[in-house]
């Protein structure tokens, strides 16, 4: 047995699934407050570059065959571009958001209205602090739920009641990885008895949560600190194409070794607010 043993199972054939996404153009993007360690209001951001990078991400999804809906941004809500935080959609059912930071609280109702106006009739607004897909990750059979910085553990129970799916709480311990989607991504959802395939950065999680992840996903891709530090785990997979931040080069090799197609996008400007591709993308499931 060599140290660099190949995965025991042959890579599955990687078939992309068509996805529906909701995105918000960063027309009013800026960094005027700091609610995570990436944000420094004294450093300039290039709004045009942020918009160009966002468009590149949107066009990448369209090129890959996905559907992208857009919500109108609003002045004074610079983080509204991070659509992933505004809800969780599973089987057409929507659990809205309730933000921790006062600066972002008004976003929740704008997204709620978007859901109602766009045919989502089953929308529940949470009573507990819940930053949407930022902290709630659907694997296809369980909802992984982050806590520690933003989403309240009581919101995990609330999500379980709303969706009627098992919820597994995970504790985040590194402030740079303040949302679950900065530390873990689903590459292939669970399907027909096959477990989900995920990638994660172990250093973002508490000791107990790491053990939970090892138990649930023994074959996970473990990302290293360098890829985590460019928000490499904030990627979006359709089961074949894995959209990753351009700087996450080692992770790109790791997913490629498993038969995925890395698709690199540069999100350096949006990273100044602590966001990557996934943060800009809310998945509309069902
Ligand atoms: N500045 C935003 C915040 O701190 C970034 C959110 C990034 N979104 C995400 N899904 N991780 O709330």
């Amino acid at each position: 047995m060599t140290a660099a043993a190949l995965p025991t199972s042959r890579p599955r054939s990687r078939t992309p699934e068509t996805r529906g996404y909701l995105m918000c153009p960063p027309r009013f993007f800026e960094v005027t407050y700091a609610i995570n360690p990436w944000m420094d209001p004294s450093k300039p951001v290039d709004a045009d570059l942020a918009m160009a990078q966002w468009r590149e991400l949107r066009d990448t999804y369209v090129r890959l065959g996905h559907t992208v809906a857009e919500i109108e941004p609003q002045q004074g809500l610079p983080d509204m571009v991070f659509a992933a935080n505004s809800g969780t959609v599973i089987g057409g059912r929507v659990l809205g958001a309730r933000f921790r930071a006062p600066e972002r609280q008004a976003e929740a109702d704008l997204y709620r209205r978007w859901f109602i106006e766009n045919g989502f009739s089953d929308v529940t607004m949470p009573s507990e602090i819940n930053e949407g897909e930022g902290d709630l990750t659907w694997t296809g059979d369980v909802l992984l739920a982050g806590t520690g910085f933003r989403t309240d553990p009581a919101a995990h129970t609330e999500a379980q009641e709303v969706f009627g799916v098992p919820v597994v709480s995970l504790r985040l311990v590194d402030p740079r990885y303040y949302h679950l989607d900065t530390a873990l991504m689903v590459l292939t959802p669970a399907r027909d008895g096959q477990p989900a395939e995920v990638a994660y950065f172990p250093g973002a999680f508490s000791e107990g949560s790491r053990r939970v992840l090892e138990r649930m996903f023994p074959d996970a891709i473990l990302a290293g600190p360098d890829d985590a530090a460019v928000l490499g785990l904030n990627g979006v997979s359709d089961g074949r194409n894995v959209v990753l931040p351009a700087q996450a080069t080692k992770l790109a090799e790791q997913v490629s070794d498993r038969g995925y197609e890395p698709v690199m996008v540069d999100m350096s400007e949006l990273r100044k607010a602590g966001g990557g591709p996934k943060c800009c993308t809310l998945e509309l499931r069902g």
Side-chain angles (χ1 to χ4, degrees), residues 35-36 39 79 82 85 104 134 150 178-179 181-182 273-274 279:
I35 54 172
N36 68 51
M39 302 175 87
D79 276 338
F82 301 116
N85 303 146
R104 296 199 65 185
R150 300 292 182 86
Y178 54 96
H179 275 146
D181 73 358
T182 63
C279 297

Side-chain angles (χ1 to χ4, degrees), residues 239-280:
R240 177 183 175 84
N241 304 290
V242 184
V243 177
L244 290 176
Q247 296 77 10
T249 49
K250 180 75 182 30
L251 183 58
E253 275 175 39
Q254 286 173 289
V255 302
S256 172
D257 288 346
R258 297 279 184 106
Y260 295 96
E261 195 68 56
V263 180
M264 309 310 266
V265 291
D266 190 1
M267 303 296 286
S268 58
E269 218 47 36
L270 290 149
R271 196 164 64 230
K272 293 178 178 170
K278 169 61 205 163
C279 297
C280 297

Side-chain angles (χ1 to χ4, degrees), residues 91-147:
R93 181 171 288 177
V94 182
L95 175 59
R98 190 179 186 99
F99 287 88
R100 183 167 293 278
E103 292 91 337
R104 296 199 65 185
Q105 275 161 12
E107 295 175 38
D109 196 56
L110 296 171
Y111 278 88
R112 182 191 64 81
R113 268 190 267 166
W114 186 91
F115 287 120
I116 299 290
E117 284 163 11
N118 288 274
F120 292 84
S121 54
D122 187 349
V123 180
T124 306
M125 294 308 283
S127 44
E128 307 295 342
I129 290 174
N130 173 327
E131 298 201 352
E133 283 198 324
D135 276 321
L136 300 178
T137 302
W138 177 237
T139 67
D141 57 4
V142 290
L143 189 63
L144 302 177
T147 189

